[in-house]
Amino acid sequence: MSTCSTVSHDLAEPVSGTAATARTWLLLEQSGPWGAKALTSSHLDPALGRALEAAAKDTGVRIALIRRPGRHADSGTPTIRQVYAAHTVPGNVWLHSATTRDPRDLLGLDLAALGSGDHSGFDAVLGGGPHTGEPLALVCTNGKRDRCCALLGRPLAAALAASGVEGAWEVTHLGGHRFSPTLLVLPYGYAYGRAETHAVMEVLHSVQEGRIVVEGCRGNSAWERPGQAAELAVRTAVREYAAEALTVVRTDGAAPHWEVTVAHTDGRHWRVHVAQTASLPPRPESCGASVLGSPARMDVVGVRELSTSPALAS
């Protein structure tokens, strides 16, 4: 059976520079089935879902629902729900957790502050604090958005849980169905595509040691797509895998050409030329698409280390 993910794989579509963009992730546990737009089509009160969507607009916060791997029949709503917030910008990476009996408590959060990296409101409103467990491994399993997420994501989530991964959760939407199974790892915010269990275990082991695995990586959600591709290209070029070593400090230009400046914590800088091109031949961008598309891809044309500060080199 041909699916959007098998076609993308067979055409060797690159995954770099395809991650969802979010400086901060806000995750709410919601059991039971999910619809295509889960915040308003699940067992969560749709009015609350709409209010949260509105509150998050233009804040840098992306809200998603999570649930433990397994069967998802209408088994009722948990009395106590898990809530996570994670900020993914290097230099201020954190993952905090809390629980709530009433998801309407989330309406009391200052999402603009959360998006800027301030967790004090999250801690005060929800009684949260730093997450002390394993990294979170969030696998997209929402088959209502695309069947690939269910066919490929659910077995991966189940395998991780069976392997004893405490941080394994199913999540409603990470974008890029054709790269299923897709995975987001927190706290650092790096996304992965075409993920396999053994590779995910390596990614999680590396994250616990503060390192990033580049193979199969779609990018860091803290950056826009050109920055994601540029940062991964620098990591590969200089073999730098420390999680918070690199930062995208500026992006000049506009589609289809950008010059992205990437900085290292040791003071080095690189200028990366990123070009947007169309993936050819046309292919289904999702299994539900009625027409073929040519999804944009981020191609790194060149990586150049700067001998002076980026301001002087401009």
Side-chain angles (χ1 to χ4, degrees):
M1 178 179 62
S2 180
T3 64
C4 67
S5 59
T6 58
V7 173
S8 175
H9 179 273
D10 291 346
L11 292 175
E13 184 181 354
V15 301
S16 175
T18 66
T21 300
R23 295 192 302 273
T24 300
W25 292 84
L26 179 60
L27 308 169
L28 171 65
E29 183 178 3
Q30 176 60 61
S31 61
W34 295 332
K37 295 183 178 180
L39 278 179
T40 54
S41 54
S42 68
H43 285 173
L44 185 70
D45 178 2
L48 172 60
R50 286 190 293 271
L52 289 171
E53 285 180 337
K57 187 177 181 181
D58 299 325
T59 64
V61 176
R62 188 178 177 110
I63 303 175
L65 302 182
I66 57 174
R67 64 191 178 195
R68 286 299 189 183
R71 297 187 63 185
H72 307 297
D74 293 352
S75 55
T77 299
T79 304
I80 300 177
R81 302 171 188 238
Q82 185 68 47
V83 187
Y84 294 105
H87 191 61
T88 63
V89 178
N92 186 31
V93 168
W94 49 259
L95 172 60
H96 280 220
S97 64
T99 58
T100 183
R101 291 180 178 273
D102 186 350
R104 289 175 295 184
D105 291 342
L106 273 64
L107 292 176
L109 297 174
D110 182 343
L111 295 189
L114 205 60
S116 69
D118 180 0
H119 55 68
S120 60
F122 178 87
D123 295 346
V125 171
L126 298 176
H131 174 65
T132 57
E134 294 181 357
L136 302 187
L138 305 164
V139 182
C140 183
T141 62
N142 192 347
K144 294 296 185 181
R145 292 196 70 96
D146 193 285
R147 62 179 174 171
C148 286
C149 297
L151 293 172
L152 301 174
R154 286 179 184 167
L156 174 62
L160 293 177
S163 298
V165 176
E166 296 175 4
W169 292 87
E170 298 186 8
V171 68
T172 47
H173 185 45
L174 296 177
H177 325 294
R178 63 192 184 278
F179 303 121
S180 295
T182 60
L183 173 88
L184 175 72
V185 179
L186 296 175
Y188 298 115
Y190 284 83
Y192 291 83
R194 304 183 186 126
E196 298 181 357
T197 305
H198 66 89
V200 175
M201 299 299 284
E202 180 186 352
V203 167
L204 295 175
H205 177 73
S206 297
V207 165
Q208 289 181 307
E209 297 182 344
R211 295 183 293 110
I212 299 303
V213 172
V214 172
E215 185 177 359
C217 190
R218 301 175 63 193
N220 184 340
S221 75
W223 318 126
E224 299 292 337
R225 291 185 61 184
Q228 294 172 11
E231 189 243 29
L232 289 175
V234 172
R235 283 193 180 279
T236 301
V238 302
R239 298 182 179 180
E240 176 56 81
Y241 307 116
E244 295 187 74
L246 300 178
T247 301
V248 174
V249 293
R250 61 185 286 178
T251 300
D252 299 308
H257 295 286
W258 297 269
E259 294 286 344
V260 180
T261 304
V262 178
H264 195 290
T265 50
D266 65 10
R268 287 179 292 167
H269 288 76
W270 294 265
R271 183 147 296 158
V272 184
H273 180 196
V274 181
Q276 176 179 306
T277 59
S279 298
L280 296 173
R283 76 286 309 273
E285 295 188 54
S286 68
C287 288
S290 58
V291 296
L292 300 181
S294 299
R297 53 183 279 176
M298 298 291 139
D299 291 327
V300 172
V301 178
V303 177
R304 177 169 60 93
E305 185 171 355
L306 302 178
S307 57
T308 58
S309 72
L312 295 175
S314 296

